[in-house]
Amino acid sequence: MVSTMLVLILIITSVFALPRTSSCSIAVATFDGTGGVSGEIEIDEDGRVNVDLNVGGLDGSQCEDGGYEFAYHIHTLWEYDDLTPRFGSDACGSAYTGGHFNPYGVQTCVAAAAAGEEVDYYNCEIGDLSGRDGNLRRGYNDGSIDTTFTVATGCKGCDARLTPEAVYGRSVVFHCNDGSRLFCAPFDLQVYDRNNFKVKKNKRKN
């Protein structure tokens, strides 16, 4: 009787078990070299944000500091029909990229830090990336920018985090140090095989 029950449990488990997969999704905002900016912003399923850019050819003359330092945020929209990055305050304006991604309706992370609060997942804008990890500065020699950090709760039993799906159809916008919008690009979803790190397909095409 016991052995029969064990067999039944194994059969039921095998029927309803979810198939194992090595696929993962990632959100990618790509700068293709247009306007002197190349590289990618990636957000993975663990909430890890990776910035790998080169802005050596960027014309930052509209910025007070010549485009040396940038704030950057996830914005709520991408109102273009393609994935081509845009440049300038008009092309990256609110009509095309919206405002900051802020699902909890809270203050910026910069404001939270200025008030002496510890910046965490819930008490400031999820999309305020530079408020969480600091402004980006172009490299002295070749214009390279490289940083990695995680946007997640980091507490056991509560795995809230920034996900690729949350930013799909949204954009990343880079600002001059005076707040004006300088360049921007949309997030696209990709699926890759974590065993060999090869992208298998794109979710959206130009």
Side-chain angles (χ1 to χ4, degrees), residues 63-127:
C63 302
E64 293 177 350
D65 65 352
Y68 168 71
E69 183 173 334
F70 313 101
Y72 65 115
H73 318 100
I74 299 168
H75 282 234
T76 56
L77 301 175
W78 184 258
E79 293 295 316
Y80 293 102
D81 294 329
D82 56 44
L83 304 178
T84 304
R86 262 62 177 191
F87 296 84
S89 56
D90 292 334
C92 295
S94 60
Y96 300 103
T97 61
H100 293 182
F101 179 51
N102 184 21
Y104 295 108
V106 290
Q107 63 191 332
T108 66
C109 298
V110 171
E117 301 177 28
E118 181 180 356
V119 171
D120 64 28
Y121 184 78
Y122 294 111
N123 76 338
C124 64
E125 295 177 351
I126 292 177

Side-chain angles (χ1 to χ4, degrees), residues 1-184:
M1 181 67 178
V2 174
S3 61
T4 302
M5 290 294 295
L6 287 174
V7 170
L8 287 173
I9 291 172
L10 289 172
I11 292 173
I12 293 172
T13 302
S14 65
V15 169
F16 291 100
L18 293 174
R20 293 182 178 272
T21 177
S22 62
S23 296
C24 291
S25 68
I26 191 168
V28 183
T30 301
F31 293 90
D32 58 7
T34 304
V37 180
S38 59
E40 295 178 335
I41 315 294
E42 297 178 345
I43 298 173
D44 69 16
E45 292 182 349
D46 294 321
R48 187 163 44 245
V49 179
N50 182 65
V51 179
D52 184 7
L53 294 177
N54 188 288
V55 296
L58 175 68
D59 179 6
S61 58
Q62 81 172 61
C63 302
E64 293 177 350
D65 65 352
Y68 168 71
E69 183 173 334
F70 313 101
Y72 65 115
H73 318 100
I74 299 168
H75 282 234
T76 56
L77 301 175
W78 184 258
E79 293 295 316
Y80 293 102
D81 294 329
D82 56 44
L83 304 178
T84 304
R86 262 62 177 191
F87 296 84
S89 56
D90 292 334
C92 295
S94 60
Y96 300 103
T97 61
H100 293 182
F101 179 51
N102 184 21
Y104 295 108
V106 290
Q107 63 191 332
T108 66
C109 298
V110 171
E117 301 177 28
E118 181 180 356
V119 171
D120 64 28
Y121 184 78
Y122 294 111
N123 76 338
C124 64
E125 295 177 351
I126 292 177
D128 185 6
L129 300 182
S130 53
R132 293 177 177 276
D133 190 57
N135 286 358
L136 299 176
R137 296 173 177 85
R138 71 166 78 192
Y140 284 104
N141 296 322
D142 61 357
S144 61
I145 295 174
D146 185 10
T147 188
T148 300
F149 59 99
T150 300
V151 181
T153 56
C155 61
K156 186 176 181 180
C158 180
D159 61 352
R161 63 200 183 282
L162 182 63
T163 65
E165 293 83 358
V167 301
Y168 176 65
R170 307 187 192 279
S171 56
V172 60
V173 178
F174 287 78
H175 301 257
C176 299
N177 58 358
D178 62 0
S180 61
R181 303 182 187 204
L182 186 57
F183 58 97
C184 56

Side-chain angles (χ1 to χ4, degrees), residues 184-197:
C184 56
F187 283 104
D188 192 23
L189 281 183
Q190 297 178 354
V191 176
Y192 71 97
D193 188 331
R194 63 188 173 197
N195 291 333
N196 58 26
F197 302 104

